[in-house]
Amino acid sequence: MCCADLPVACAEGWPKPSPSEGARRAFERDYSGFVTRTKEGSCRIELAVEGVRCASCMQTIEKGVGALPGVSKARLNFSDRRLAVEWRGNLEVRTLLDRLEALGFKAHPFDPKRPDATETQELKRLIRALAVAGFASMNIMLLAVSVWAGNVSDITPETRDFFHWMQAIIALPAAAYAGRPFYESAFRGLRAGRVNMDFPITLGVVLSLIMSVVETLNGAEHAYFDGAVMLLFFLLIGRTLDQMMRRRTRTLAENLSALRSETAAKIFPDGSVHDAPLSAVAPGDRVLVRPGDRIAVDGVVEEGTSEVDQSLVTGETALAPVRPGDRVYAGALNAGGVLTLRVTAAAAGTLLDEVETLMSRALEKKSEVLLLADKATRLYVPLVHAAAALTAIGWLVAGGGWHAAILNAVAVLIITCPCALGLAIPAVQVVAAGALFRQGVLLNSGDALERLAEVDTVVFDKTGTLTLPEPRLLPSSCAPQVLETAARLALSSRHPLAKALADAAESRQTFADAREFAGSGVSAVIDGIEARLGSPAFCNAEREAQAALCEEPDASVICFRHGEAPPVVFLVRQALRDDAVDTVTTLRRTGYRVLILSGDRADAVSRAAEALGVSEWAAGLSPKDKIARIEALKAQGCTVLMVGDGVNDAPALAAAHVSLSPVTAAHVSQAAADALFMGRRLGVVLTALATGRTARRLMQQNLVFSALYNVAAVPLAAAGYLTPLIAALAMSGSSVVVTLNALRARSHGGAVPAGERADRAGAPSAAFQPRTA
């Protein structure tokens, strides 16, 4: 309906909107641009949800949104707090946002093109609150120790009251500021009609402060300001660590978007070329791609020859020559000549879109993986409330009075604070992450350690993972002078294979008149005679190149011809990492099942598998094929670690139970991987697996200790043997024990424990029958 029709419609009897409703409609945001269509015809939107703290929040959101009419799927990715909703019918996005707001959560459409500062702002807020709580705790404890010492000696009541009031002056504003993340979360939950885990924390802190002020007014010996502020300090440590780990997952969509071009040089029917937005480019149109441009569309080359970086498809770092009839894909980089393409997909449906969709769906599957601490704390809120209420009722029934009832109930709330429970996982994560960092491994996911501990199957990509990313020149029998001339000529080429030859040049001086021909090679006049370096056809050396490849079928060739002299063929190969054989041998010996899944040629993969002693391998795989293979392994009950490099590995990295990627990988793979490793050593895979097992054991120990601590401490607090002060000290002591135990993750040893499911490692499935070259 247009605006001109509105008065007529109202005059015909429709209810006229009130001024406030009209204003809301006038300023209502249009969310249609964020809604997409699935292959099944459903509507889909991804929402960024704020305020998600634990597993109960996740369940509340999924059940609450899933109950709306027409909603077929509501899945929350716990790692980045992204909610994917699919529905059929006339459901409006505003209805979804209103439902989330009614549940106590703020939400807005997830837009990867717009930098979202919410996570950064929240982290800064937590750090400020942590700093305030820590500073206040230190100063309050200095005053509290003086009171404790004075209570057993000769402190006067006036001096004690003065010290208590000094503690109050510090504690009250500090607790009001530092506790805001918990207070606001508890209030939102109450407003939505639910009680979350932050409510008992808020209740314990507030009651402790109120009791402390009352005790100070009455001139009592004890006040509990120190316990309240220390409680907030330790809780904020856990909350800040969680936020820091979560923030690192937000670069995934941004890195993918960096491969996109917003416009394309469209060739119009009159022959003119103008930059046009992708929305104005349709299949069948022609576009021009200049040297150095990133290709914006999927298409077929109609005119021109060049070399393009097709790592998005093949995972290979080498530039691939393209000529008329070859297919190229959005996201590839044109490194050579000018190309004219016939578009097959532009604004939507490109291979880049497919990779992004595959990765998004694979990441959603991980939303079902909950942290161990979340599993252990699901029943925390009702149990703590029940214990505190029963304590208060019991003391009232026993005739202890309101003072004793409230005092002991507060002690129960404080001593059962989930401080040790909240640190049980983050403390181990931080220590283990530091140990891995010193070994060259960077964690990119908060629960990567637990998932590394569960691995029984390791899947490797070949190129750039088992092999070094840069190619190496194989030994040649040619004369040293010929090698030096060819190497100096290679200095004028941008081809990656030429770089391997150029590294052999003793002199770094190029030939002055060297010219490079895109997709062919480089030539120069040397000593009055033309010299050529490049492809076999460019150097008229097809027969010699074919003979060399018969001896080294997995190598690449660079040919060199100087005048009428016989051509020389140089062989270049990506060599295995120095410790690849030892690493794979150790994995297999300790019970892990090892496979190779690669997009490279079969002969190259076969040679690498034979050198590593791996019988299960597959070559020529697309991103879809790799995901299908990993899903087949998971269907067999395998827990898969994927170690891969390249954008084409990104969906497989996300689909695996846990993943590792070299730090030299493309940005998308780094974001999709749960951990990154630096340097040339593959042995860090062993280190990561060993650290994961150690970390899981320490996490379990911390959780068991936290549970036993509560079982032993709650009865004592309920019986009146523990004041809020002692309860706070006991709570702090439990946190110290948990932290000290977590420090043991620094010395994991480095050896990989024997596989716990070694019986499965020696039984290849039908989907991965051993292959021979």
Side-chain angles (χ1 to χ4, degrees):
M1 181 188 302
C2 66
C3 294
D5 294 331
L6 183 58
V8 177
C10 294
E12 292 175 354
W14 288 10
K16 189 173 183 178
S18 65
S20 60
E21 291 175 346
R24 177 177 175 180
R25 293 179 187 177
F27 293 99
E28 187 71 56
R29 184 178 180 183
D30 182 13
Y31 296 104
S32 59
F34 298 97
V35 179
T36 59
R37 289 278 182 178
T38 65
K39 293 181 179 179
E40 296 77 18
S42 299
C43 296
R44 175 186 173 90
I45 191 171
E46 293 184 346
L47 301 172
V49 185
E50 301 176 14
V52 180
R53 302 297 183 192
C54 58
S56 62
C57 297
M58 179 177 170
Q59 294 171 353
T60 299
I61 291 171
E62 291 183 346
K63 290 181 179 179
V65 175
L68 290 173
V71 175
S72 58
K73 172 186 174 183
R75 182 68 58 82
L76 180 68
N77 187 334
F78 189 74
S79 62
D80 63 1
R81 276 53 172 177
R82 180 164 34 161
L83 176 66
V85 184
E86 295 181 7
W87 73 91
R88 292 180 179 272
N90 298 323
L91 183 67
E92 295 184 357
V93 176
R94 182 73 254 174
T95 304
L96 297 174
L97 299 179
D98 290 342
R99 171 55 64 91
L100 288 168
E101 186 174 356
L103 294 172
F105 301 94
K106 295 181 180 180
H108 54 83
F110 180 84
D111 186 2
K113 297 180 182 179
R114 182 192 66 189
D116 189 358
T118 303
E119 296 288 344
T120 302
Q121 292 174 353
E122 180 66 14
L123 180 59
K124 290 181 178 178
R125 180 191 183 205
L126 289 173
I127 292 175
R128 287 194 298 267
L130 179 63
V132 169
F135 178 79
S137 296
M138 290 186 292
N139 286 276
I140 292 173
M141 285 304 299
L142 289 174
L143 298 169
V145 169
S146 301
V147 174
W148 301 341
N151 283 336
V152 296
S153 59
D154 57 351
I155 189 172
T156 63
E158 292 78 10
T159 303
R160 181 176 58 234
D161 292 344
F162 173 76
F163 275 55
H164 282 165
W165 282 117
M166 290 295 294
Q167 294 179 49
I169 292 173
I170 300 173
L172 294 176
Y177 179 84
R180 286 190 306 165
F182 307 102
Y183 308 153
E184 293 171 1
S185 175
F187 178 74
R188 285 196 302 267
L190 289 177
R191 190 172 57 182
R194 62 185 182 88
V195 176
N196 57 24
M197 287 184 58
D198 289 333
F199 179 77
I201 295 172
T202 300
L203 186 61
V205 171
V206 172
L207 288 179
S208 296
L209 293 174
I210 292 175
M211 284 292 298
S212 298
V213 172
V214 172
E215 294 289 272
T216 301
L217 288 171
N218 293 330
E221 289 187 2
H222 300 289
Y224 316 107
F225 298 109
D226 48 356
V229 179
M230 286 181 63
L231 178 65
L232 290 174
F233 176 66
F234 282 109
L235 290 174
L236 284 167
I237 291 176
R239 187 67 57 88
T240 303
L241 293 176
D242 173 73
Q243 189 75 12
M244 292 174 65
M245 298 294 285
R246 180 153 51 91
R247 204 179 144 222
R248 301 184 64 177
T249 65
R250 297 195 61 84
T251 57
L252 173 60
E254 296 172 1
N255 286 335
L256 261 180
S257 298
L259 294 178
R260 296 184 181 276
S261 297
E262 298 296 332
T263 61
K266 183 177 178 179
I267 303 175
F268 288 84
D270 61 357
S272 62
V273 180
H274 301 284
D275 284 343
L278 291 184
S279 58
V281 179
D285 289 344
R286 299 168 71 232
V287 299
L288 188 72
V289 183
R290 305 176 182 89
D293 287 350
R294 192 169 291 280
I295 299 175
V297 299
D298 286 2
V300 178
V301 178
E302 282 197 342
E303 299 176 13
T305 59
S306 182
E307 292 180 312
V308 298
D309 176 5
Q310 294 267 47
S311 59
L312 175 66
V313 183
T314 65
E316 300 294 330
T317 57
L319 297 177
V322 293
R323 54 184 58 86
D326 291 343
R327 294 186 65 88
V328 293
Y329 301 92
L333 186 66
N334 181 20
V338 178
L339 297 175
T340 300
L341 308 181
R342 180 71 65 176
V343 178
T344 58
T350 64
L351 181 64
L352 189 59
D353 292 321
E354 184 178 358
V355 171
E356 186 173 9
T357 301
L358 289 173
M359 195 184 319
S360 177
R361 296 295 172 84
L363 285 172
E364 281 179 17
K365 296 178 182 179
K366 290 183 182 178
S367 65
E368 299 176 356
V369 180
L370 303 177
L371 296 174
L372 294 177
D374 291 324
K375 297 178 181 179
T377 56
R378 285 180 181 176
L379 298 177
Y380 167 78
V381 173
L383 289 178
V384 168
H385 289 173
L390 289 175
T391 299
I393 293 172
W395 278 91
L396 289 174
V397 171
W402 284 103
H403 182 275
I406 295 177
L407 192 67
N408 292 318
V410 169
V412 171
L413 284 174
I414 292 177
I415 207 164
T416 54
C417 168
C419 189
L421 203 56
L423 285 175
I425 305 301
V428 177
Q429 285 179 330
V430 170
V431 175
L436 286 174
F437 177 78
R438 289 189 291 273
Q439 297 294 324
V441 180
L442 305 174
L443 294 181
N444 197 36
S445 177
D447 58 348
L449 289 168
E450 295 107 298
R451 288 186 276 126
L452 280 168
E454 299 166 353
V455 168
D456 57 24
T457 302
V458 182
V459 174
F460 287 101
D461 176 46
K462 184 189 78 71
T463 306
T465 303
L466 290 171
T467 64
L468 293 168
E470 64 275 4
R472 289 183 178 179
L473 181 68
L474 299 184
S476 174
S477 59
C478 69
Q481 303 93 316
V482 175
L483 175 60
E484 176 66 15
T485 302
R488 285 184 58 192
L489 186 56
L491 291 171
S492 300
S493 175
R494 294 175 296 173
H495 199 286
L497 296 184
K499 182 180 183 301
L501 178 58
D503 290 340
E506 294 183 4
S507 171
R508 309 306 295 178
Q509 183 177 0
T510 61
F511 294 106
D513 61 344
R515 295 175 53 204
E516 186 169 18
F517 300 88
S520 299
V522 61
S523 69
V525 176
I526 303 174
D527 297 332
I529 303 174
E530 183 187 31
R532 290 192 168 195
L533 178 76
S535 67
F538 184 66
C539 298
N540 192 22
E542 290 93 338
R543 185 180 60 185
E544 291 82 357
Q546 188 62 38
L549 287 175
C550 289
E551 298 180 4
E552 298 286 347
D554 63 326
S556 299
V557 298
I558 304 176
C559 299
F560 174 70
R561 179 184 287 274
H562 193 188
E564 298 300 324
V568 177
V569 177
F570 298 100
L571 296 175
V572 175
R573 181 192 298 150
Q574 285 187 313
L576 291 173
R577 293 179 184 262
D578 295 336
D579 61 341
V581 174
D582 292 340
T583 298
V584 172
T585 301
T586 303
L587 287 171
R588 295 175 64 246
R589 186 177 66 249
T590 52
Y592 290 98
R593 179 179 175 184
V594 180
L595 304 92
I596 299 175
L597 303 180
S598 176
D600 206 350
R601 306 187 311 273
D603 51 2
V605 179
S606 172
R607 193 181 191 92
E610 182 180 357
L612 296 170
V614 177
S615 59
E616 297 181 86
W617 58 271
L621 300 181
S622 67
K624 278 187 175 180
D625 296 332
K626 290 186 179 182
I627 282 191
R629 299 290 182 125
I630 290 177
E631 293 294 342
L633 288 170
K634 292 164 69 175
Q636 300 166 21
C638 299
T639 306
V640 179
L641 164 64
M642 174 70 188
V643 188
D645 171 64
V647 178
N648 67 313
D649 290 327
L653 290 169
H657 185 67
V658 65
S659 54
L660 270 168
S661 181
V663 81
T664 54
H667 290 166
V668 177
S669 290
Q670 292 183 10
D674 298 300
L676 316 174
F677 64 88
M678 303 179 293
R680 304 167 71 90
R681 297 187 306 109
L682 194 64
V684 294
V685 175
L686 304 176
T687 303
L689 291 170
T691 303
R693 290 185 179 275
T694 301
R696 182 179 64 173
R697 185 176 68 254
L698 295 177
M699 290 176 187
Q700 292 172 342
Q701 292 173 358
N702 283 350
L703 290 174
V704 170
F705 168 78
S706 300
L708 293 177
Y709 154 77
N710 280 280
V711 169
V714 169
L716 294 175
Y721 291 108
L722 302 179
T723 65
L725 173 62
I726 298 177
L729 291 175
M731 178 275 298
S732 302
S734 67
S735 301
V736 171
V737 172
V738 166
T739 303
L740 291 176
N741 189 50
L743 292 176
R744 296 168 56 202
R746 291 184 300 182
S747 55
H748 55 78
V752 178
E756 296 174 357
R757 301 171 202 172
D759 55 329
R760 188 188 300 153
S765 67
F768 288 95
Q769 289 298 331
R771 298 181 54 179
T772 56

